[in-house]
Amino acid sequence: MTRAALLVLADGRFPAGGHAHSGGAEQAVAAGRITDAAGLAAYCRGRLHTAGLTSAALAAAACAGADPLRLDEAADARTPSPALRATARRLGRQLLRAARAAWPAAELDALAGARPRGVHQPVILGVAARAAGLGPADASYAAVYEAVSGPATATVRLLGLDPFEATAVLARLAPELDDVAARATTAGVRAAAGGRTDVDVLPAAGAPLLDIAAEEHAVRTARLFAS
Amino acid sequence: MARGVTDAAAAPTAEVRPPDGTRATGGVRAHARITAAPDARGGTALPELAGDGPIALRRVRAGAGEARVCLVGAMAGPLGGDRVRLDVRVEPGAALRVTSAAATLALPGTAGGPARYDVSLAVGDGAELHWLPEPLVSVRGSRLHVTYRIDLAPAARLVFREEQVLGRTGEPPGRLVSRLTVCSGGRPLLDQATDYGPGAPAWDGPAVLADNRATGQLLVAAPGFAATPAKPHVLATAQAALTPLPGPAALTTAVAPDALRLRTLLDEARTHTTAAYEAR
């Protein structure tokens, strides 16, 4: 494997459409729940330990060889908000397109054929990591970092937050990113163990306000970010 | 009186032994069961109604075609390391409504691991279950793990309400970890885990509950949603949204400052799902 492939996959400039999404931060800012760096840190922590953990475990399981279509079903059940299901599928399609160009693989082609409307982005992330020669832990890291980097970058634009402060928020979260990535990797590898796919062992951590706010955001007329 | 679920001896009433004397050194292992089945007269019989430990079951006056059971507190609560389990089965064609006499209190203790409360609900084809207990209140210092496992046949009907209140008025909550896993026709429909209270990361932050101290869900499943899926609908800004699930069901997720407001939101959500629920 080449570890540098992880930098390519997790790079914010990787052309997979992530820059158009705020990870729910736009609605949280609009509702006054994020007003400063401390609010951003609390938001990122909450997202990391809920949606971030759940996504990372799906990515790790996909990378470890679990059935991606069953993981997609499990991701659906873990995403009660239809706005977030649509977002996850749209981001999945975009990531799949970029990944097929970057790391051509039969598995990626098969997924595109089996689900033309898209597969949840964390599942594609896991399969893409595998195609890039990376392992389940790498897939987890890419997913947990994305769970917090999206809101941090968006908040710089939404609040005019000092980019140094936003970056410091991410740096301080690093030990927790390690911790959540490790738990996600363990669960994902377990879900794929023995050539089976056991979705019940995958975390299902959710956050009520993320789901409610995603529905509010989806019907807003004026917005900077797609989610 | 509130039913109590506690993880260690706190109140003198916790010394009360269950009638069948199941308390062992590792704590109570209580396993209550309800089975509802169609009777010969178009109604629903209860061939099995077995309370155990802290769960006492009372049959209450039936409605049209429907059996009704009320969960009543039989003792203050199990002690450290206790596991309380409730299995409910509604056979094809039967109709059951389950309520509770009062809120369930998760109580603090001085020893033992977290208390566990595991509920399994199975609803057959053409069967109906209304699961409408009073809220679960996480009292300061308590530790409770709750799981709900729900298996729905493709043509099952379900109205499931879950309400969690984090702390009594003016007090911080205990730790309340829960998971709700629902399958419809063997396929995953909903899987949601939450972790609230001291020690849970960012549970009171802007992504999870913010300042709200009551949270709940109303899950309504019925074959009618297959033809007419629920429309996504924000019921109250920053408080409640009704959403179609990837299957014949609608989920309302709600947060509120208190239990009263939470109930108002979930009652309103129910009126929006009545038509699809009753479609035959």
Side-chain angles (χ1 to χ4, degrees):
Chain A
M1 75 167 250
T2 158
R3 171 146 294 166
L6 177 58
L7 297 175
V8 177
L9 182 62
D11 190 338
R13 286 160 296 188
F14 190 75
H19 63 278
H21 297 263
S22 77
E26 183 167 39
Q27 190 60 31
V29 166
R33 289 194 295 271
I34 303 177
T35 57
D36 55 14
L40 172 64
Y43 183 87
C44 287
R45 265 194 96 209
R47 193 161 191 262
L48 169 66
H49 286 275
T50 57
L53 171 65
T54 303
S55 296
L58 286 163
C63 189
D67 175 359
L69 299 182
R70 290 209 49 217
L71 293 176
D72 190 50
E73 248 182 24
D76 251 358
R78 285 159 175 74
T79 316
S81 154
L84 292 179
R85 290 198 295 273
T87 296
R89 289 226 154 80
R90 189 180 317 128
L91 286 170
R93 284 197 304 272
Q94 290 173 299
L95 177 59
L96 183 57
R97 196 179 314 137
R100 288 172 81 185
W103 301 287
E107 275 183 298
L108 293 171
D109 298 343
L111 267 182
R115 290 286 183 276
R117 294 177 57 213
V119 169
H120 279 252
Q121 191 265 7
V123 179
I124 301 289
L125 183 63
V127 180
R130 187 178 161 92
L134 296 164
D138 301 310
S140 287
Y141 266 98
V144 296
Y145 184 64
E146 193 175 72
V148 296
S149 62
T153 311
T155 305
V156 170
R157 286 176 67 190
L158 291 162
L159 278 181
L161 190 71
D162 179 350
F164 290 106
E165 278 195 69
T167 302
V169 165
L170 295 179
R172 278 192 296 269
L173 274 172
E176 282 185 71
L177 291 169
D178 284 338
D179 182 45
V180 174
R183 284 163 56 205
T185 304
T186 303
V189 168
R190 223 180 119 205
R196 304 163 307 122
T197 300
D198 179 5
V199 299
D200 284 347
V201 305
L202 293 172
L209 279 174
L210 288 181
D211 293 330
I212 295 166
E215 293 305 309
E216 288 175 40
H217 188 265
V219 295
R220 275 174 64 142
T221 46
R223 55 187 200 193
L224 214 51
F225 292 92
S227 76
Chain B
M1 192 189 86
R3 292 187 301 130
V5 177
T6 171
D7 62 30
T13 43
E15 290 303 311
V16 175
R17 297 299 194 270
D20 57 353
T22 51
R23 191 180 295 288
T25 41
V28 161
R29 298 288 181 274
H31 187 178
R33 294 179 186 85
I34 307 172
T35 302
D39 64 17
R41 302 180 305 279
T44 296
L46 295 172
E48 189 172 39
L49 186 65
D52 192 16
I55 298 181
L57 304 170
R58 298 281 175 268
R59 183 168 192 157
V60 292
R61 218 163 73 95
E66 178 187 73
R68 295 184 178 173
V69 172
C70 183
L71 307 178
V72 189
M75 55 190 276
L79 303 188
D82 289 355
R83 295 187 66 137
V84 178
R85 192 172 142 193
L86 172 61
D87 291 344
V88 178
R89 170 171 293 278
V90 188
E91 303 282 357
L96 175 68
R97 178 179 299 255
V98 179
T99 58
S100 68
T104 296
L105 294 185
L107 294 168
T110 53
R116 286 203 62 124
Y117 184 36
D118 298 304
V119 178
S120 151
L121 309 174
V123 189
D125 272 323
E128 283 188 72
L129 173 63
H130 281 80
W131 175 265
L132 299 166
E134 294 305 303
L136 170 62
V137 183
S138 173
V139 170
R140 179 180 200 163
S142 64
R143 282 191 297 157
L144 176 63
H145 289 214
V146 188
T147 66
Y148 289 94
R149 171 89 209 190
I150 306 179
D151 285 295
L152 302 173
R157 283 185 164 71
L158 173 74
V159 176
F160 172 91
R161 181 181 70 205
E162 193 206 6
E163 296 168 313
Q164 298 183 346
V165 178
L166 304 173
R168 289 172 296 199
T169 308
E171 79 170 7
R175 183 82 175 259
L176 179 56
V177 178
S178 66
R179 183 156 181 173
L180 167 62
T181 304
V182 188
C183 285
S184 173
R187 293 165 59 96
L189 178 68
L190 175 66
D191 207 337
Q192 282 284 282
T194 56
D195 187 356
Y196 301 136
W203 67 279
D204 53 355
V208 187
L209 289 180
D211 295 329
N212 296 288
R213 290 298 174 267
T215 177
Q217 312 188 82
L218 181 81
L219 172 65
V220 181
F225 286 110
T228 319
K231 288 196 177 63
H233 179 37
V234 177
L235 295 167
T237 303
Q239 287 196 325
L242 187 159
T243 55
L245 292 180
L251 178 76
T252 299
T253 304
V255 298
D258 56 48
L260 190 64
R261 173 67 181 153
L262 178 67
R263 179 62 63 87
T264 304
L265 290 166
L266 295 181
D267 281 349
E268 192 197 331
R270 221 170 134 189
T271 65
H272 288 279
T273 55
T274 308
Y277 183 82
E278 286 174 357
R280 299 279 162 175

